[in-house]
Amino acid sequence: MGGLARLEYRGYDSAGLALSTPDGLEVIRAVGKLANLADKIEVLKPADAFAAIGHTRWATHGRPTVANAHPHSSADGRFALVHNGIIENADALRAELRADGVTFASDTDTEVVVHLIAKMYEAGTAGQWGGSLAGVHAGEDAVRRLIAAMRAVTERLQGTFTLLLVSADAPEVILAARRSSPLVVGLGDGENFLGSDVLAFIEHTNRAVEIDQDQMAIVTARGVTVLGHDGNVVPLKEYEVDFTSDRATKDGWPTFMEKEIHEQPRGVRETLEDRIDSTGHLALDEVRIPEYILRGVDKIVMIGCGTASYAGQVAKYAIEHWCRIPVEVELSSEFRYRDPVVTEKTLVVAISQSGETMDTIQAIRHAREQGAKVVAIVNTPGSTISRESDAVLLTHAGPEIAVASTKAFTSQVTACFILGLYLAQVRGNKYSDEIIDYMEKLAEAPAKIQKILDQGEMLVSYPKADHDAVLLNTMKLKNAITADSFGIKAPEGASKVKALVMDTLPWIPITAPREVVLEVKDGIVQCDVEQDVLYIAQVERYGKNGNVGQAFMGG
């Protein structure tokens, strides 16, 4: 329940558990908040379990009802399954099972899978898997049959999935399989865990194991076995999670958003740390791209969703300035559908906080098919995007719980700047002493951010990228206060903003470098003829006119 609670911020409409007890499987489900499930558990008082799986569901197939909530069970109750993702051929498989006399209790695609596994297991047509298992002491024959059945079923599934299965015939074991959906195993002391994110088990262990595409995991309290797509055992790819459980709690703050806003200096500082190697050169976390290829890059495409795409927009100006390479910024969701011009000389930069953003994963796969190299900027080591990229630059923002992203954005912009300087170094656009000078200036950013936070001032924006920062902030306003907000470039203000300004809609001009200040001021004056407007300007001194912020403040 603690693991589900730590992922509760992601949104859901129902929740449930399946417990492997000495008396068989016990499934408990509830609609609404996790507290409703906790109340049911308190009333039912289930027996202690050998193993358990849980799920918070966001409805995709069928309405939010108890019948549609996960876990789903086989007709005889001997198997229970939870599932993230969408099974695209579920209707065809459901029709096949109905023809065999299977009755369905829900509208979900997940129930189709558990019935298929039960059918394959009972028929025994998949045989038994014959490899070596770690930590399986009881019901080994059943486990081998389950592995064979799970492998046979996943071969038939089309779409995306992470599957977790428990069975009354092997009560100490959880079987898991994944395709294009996140799954990570946590290694504890006499206990092991599975989750879609390390947040689910970070309170218990910071040791984690990557599960790659189309792999399976067989997990008990005593051991973990991972199988490749061919059914052979593969070595565990273990890594250490670099944050502790306190970073996934409010830690005394009233809200996660307030906590994460004040964690921005730390995120930026830790993203910048240890970037200069022993030779005085800037280094990324992982690089599997030869330098001669980077020197031949003729275009950079930055892809991301939501906040990540705005980080790319802000960084675009600096990277173009330092590297003299054209930079495009694309929404991951649009990238592969619009037939982009991507070649072997294109460098794609994939930005994602979780490293599991599905649209971004699909986009980098499309880019790699066209021959492009991919650099990942992610906050999660071992994530799908980091594993499928040619180079990795980690942000160190820690877990971000609040819906309106703050510290992830500033850390991503910082990482983009590091990447830009790295490319300038490799391509010879900047000398080593220039790179170090830029890095020293960036190292001053955490203290400056902290000063803004301490003084309670409004964070303004970024030179030459104000409109992109404004667009980001309009998105945050929509997230935080569910009110419409718009971002419009200054030269468009006179014709577009004037039509929108009204008593209930304040206008907030944000000035930028000196070369565009007059255009912003003209827009303010034209709109102010008819309407009082709230003005907020960048506090920065420009020439003999003094403080622009003082000159423009009004309302």
Side-chain angles (χ1 to χ4, degrees), residues 26-88:
E26 186 166 358
V27 175
I28 306 172
R29 302 180 291 180
V31 173
K33 295 295 184 184
L34 203 56
N36 297 342
L37 178 62
D39 290 342
K40 274 196 172 183
I41 293 172
E42 181 64 28
V43 171
L44 295 172
K45 292 182 170 47
D48 290 340
F50 301 111
I53 55 176
H55 189 270
T56 50
R57 172 186 185 253
W58 193 261
T60 56
H61 291 72
R63 299 177 56 151
T65 63
V66 171
N68 287 330
H70 295 214
H72 288 284
S73 303
S74 59
D76 60 8
R78 290 165 56 202
F79 305 91
L81 182 83
V82 297
H83 162 225
N84 277 338
I86 295 177
I87 307 302
E88 295 173 358

Side-chain angles (χ1 to χ4, degrees), residues 429-457:
N429 298 93
K430 298 289 180 187
Y431 294 110
S432 293
D433 57 342
E434 292 179 287
I435 300 290
I436 292 173
D437 183 56
Y438 277 116
M439 290 297 291
E440 288 175 350
K441 287 182 170 63
L442 283 173
E444 297 171 5
K448 292 180 178 180
I449 296 171
Q450 189 63 57
K451 181 179 178 181
I452 291 171
L453 294 173
D454 292 343
Q455 292 176 350
E457 296 176 356

Side-chain angles (χ1 to χ4, degrees), residues 351-366:
I351 308 172
S352 169
Q353 194 277 135
S354 66
E356 300 292 350
T357 310
M358 184 50 61
D359 285 326
T360 305
I361 292 170
Q362 298 295 344
I364 66 171
R365 288 173 181 168
H366 179 76

Side-chain angles (χ1 to χ4, degrees), residues 129 132-134 176 185 209-212 214-219 223-237:
W129 180 77
S132 176
L133 289 168
V185 173
V209 173
E210 299 176 8
I211 305 298
D212 286 335
D214 284 314
Q215 289 187 339
M216 281 183 57
I218 301 92
V219 179
V224 175
T225 304
V226 177
L227 310 183
H229 182 257
D230 59 3
N232 293 323
V233 175
V234 298
L236 301 186
K237 296 167 67 174

